[in-house]
Amino acid sequence: MNELVADKPQGLLKFRSRPELIMAGLGMLLFATILLAICSGAVSVTPGQVASILFSKLGINLPWEYEMRDELVVMSLRLPRILLGLLVGATLALSGAALQGLFRNPLADPALVGVSSGAALGAVSFIVAGGALLGVVPDGIQPFLLPLAAFGGGLIVAMLVYRIGVVDGQTQVATMLLAGIAINSICTALIGMFIFNSDDQQLRDLTFWTMGSLARNTWAIFFPVLPFLLIPCIGLPFLARAMNAYVLGENEAGHLGFNVEQLKKLTIILTSMAIGSAVAVSGIIAFVGLVVPHLARLLLGSDHRRLLPSSILLGSTLILVADIISRTAVVPAELPIGVVTSCIGGPFFLWLLINKRTLRGE
């Protein structure tokens, strides 16, 4: 044991010994990123003007003057987009960490096991073929149909992968991952068929949507999807202790008093809800669910009581940084956010693969 500890970088061990400071630092980083996201864009707004706009809604007047254009940009365009980006990043990263714990494999993520593709298939099928439902469904329910379709697609794929991977009551992780890859290919092919049969307007929407974007998010989109994103963010961290025991093995977790089957079902349902809702409003955003949990482990270790909350903070920060780049890199046009996250996450994950000691946390 002493030799094992001696092999680990002492700086990293010392850094991990202060989790409260790390979490506080991640919170401050997220706050700074939120402020930068509100101020950045084609129309620049100062932090003072942002404060004046926000406090004016509470009846408090601050000395920084602003124009009506600035208030419109902040309140109607950037604020709903930023809040939705926070929740999308949090749910994607949190779901990635939870799935890696469930499959006990650091390479598991929503895209790899097919859940993202299943959610995308549900959303695409509704966009292309679900127009007939809008005429018979009450107006108050219509905003919920797209998130529900994506959630249903993700849930079906997650349950199918789980069923295929359970053999004689034992979870076969390798079988799950291979099943996820196969189902991912099937969903991708079906998405291609829907895109092929879409009209010109649907084709333009789907092409940009499948690469990920927060561009069209407004308050009308934010509020219907809010509960679908908040429930997993609140529920999954409560499973942290059970996940810690599950990593030791199913029998060991059962001996410690945890209901393993209930843990699996809750994890699948909550991650499917999170991924389906995120995909419904932002499209497919790659690498967040894969890279962020690894980065969180580097900072705070593998304890899910710290891993899950830190993944929320890091995932939200990464999405906002990517969104800032997508909005400002090619003004007045906008890059798909999935392209930006791939450019950030791909090289980082390659570095993790090359540096095997870092990937194993040694």
Side-chain angles (χ1 to χ4, degrees):
M1 180 65 68
N2 292 334
E3 293 179 358
L4 180 62
V5 173
D7 286 339
K8 294 186 178 182
Q10 297 301 313
L12 183 57
L13 286 174
K14 184 177 180 181
F15 189 53
R16 284 183 179 175
S17 66
R18 299 182 178 179
E20 295 81 7
L21 293 179
I22 297 174
M23 293 295 291
L26 293 177
M28 293 174 63
L29 177 62
L30 178 58
F31 177 79
T33 307
I34 292 172
L35 184 59
L36 180 61
I38 295 178
C39 296
S40 302
V43 176
S44 297
V45 184
T46 67
Q49 290 174 325
V50 172
S52 293
I53 293 170
L54 296 179
F55 277 96
S56 68
K57 303 303 177 182
L58 302 175
I60 302 173
N61 295 321
L62 297 181
W64 294 280
E65 296 182 356
Y66 59 89
E67 299 178 2
M68 289 301 297
R69 178 198 64 176
D70 300 328
E71 181 177 358
L72 177 63
V73 167
V74 171
M75 297 302 301
S76 300
L77 299 179
R78 291 184 187 169
L79 198 55
R81 177 173 182 152
I82 290 168
L83 291 176
L84 196 56
L86 286 172
L87 290 173
V88 167
T91 52
L92 290 177
L94 184 62
S95 299
L99 288 175
Q100 289 173 13
L102 177 67
F103 293 142
R104 286 175 285 182
N105 191 309
L107 296 180
D109 90 313
L112 184 62
V113 299
V115 181
S116 291
S117 296
L121 177 60
V124 168
S125 61
F126 176 79
I127 292 172
V128 176
L133 292 175
L134 298 179
V136 297
V137 174
D139 294 341
I141 300 178
Q142 290 182 10
F144 297 92
L145 293 179
L146 182 58
L148 284 173
F151 166 58
L155 180 61
I156 291 172
V157 169
M159 294 181 66
L160 184 58
V161 169
Y162 174 72
R163 289 295 182 185
I164 294 173
V166 176
V167 181
D168 297 329
Q170 297 294 321
T171 303
Q172 304 292 331
V173 176
T175 303
M176 278 189 174
L177 294 177
L178 292 174
I181 293 172
I183 294 174
N184 187 26
S185 299
I186 295 172
C187 291
T188 302
L190 293 174
I191 290 172
M193 291 179 61
F194 276 110
I195 293 176
F196 179 78
N197 289 288
S198 60
D199 57 35
D200 290 341
Q201 182 60 45
Q202 291 171 339
L203 180 61
R204 284 193 293 269
D205 293 342
L206 291 174
T207 300
F208 195 69
W209 179 83
T210 51
M211 292 186 288
S213 174
L214 298 173
R216 299 184 179 181
N217 291 309
T218 61
W219 292 117
I221 295 175
F222 174 77
F223 287 113
V225 81
L226 180 60
F228 296 95
L229 294 172
L230 278 182
I231 291 173
C233 286
I234 296 172
L236 284 172
F238 281 100
L239 304 177
R241 293 181 66 250
M243 288 182 183
N244 284 341
Y246 181 79
V247 170
L248 301 175
E250 294 188 24
N251 293 332
E252 289 77 2
H255 292 323
L256 291 172
F258 295 101
N259 189 328
V260 175
E261 290 304 317
Q262 185 181 54
L263 171 65
K264 293 177 183 177
K265 292 177 182 178
L266 285 174
T267 302
I268 289 174
I269 291 173
L270 290 174
T271 54
S272 299
M273 181 184 295
I275 296 164
S277 304
V279 168
V281 295
S282 64
I284 299 176
I285 301 178
F287 278 103
V288 176
L290 182 62
V291 170
V292 170
H294 283 290
L295 182 57
R297 288 190 189 93
L298 291 177
L299 295 175
L300 290 160
S302 299
D303 187 342
H304 285 85
R305 292 173 297 179
R306 297 170 182 168
L307 176 64
L308 298 182
S310 61
S311 295
I312 290 176
L313 296 175
L314 284 169
S316 298
T317 302
L318 176 59
I319 286 294
L320 289 187
V321 170
D323 188 48
I324 293 171
I325 296 173
S326 71
R327 287 191 286 117
T328 58
V330 290
V331 173
E334 182 171 318
L335 287 173
I337 193 171
V339 174
V340 179
T341 57
S342 296
C343 291
I344 296 174
F348 177 77
F349 192 66
L350 283 176
W351 174 78
L352 287 177
L353 292 175
I354 293 171
N355 190 346
K356 293 182 179 180
R357 292 174 61 86
T358 303
L359 182 62
R360 293 194 300 266
E362 297 180 0

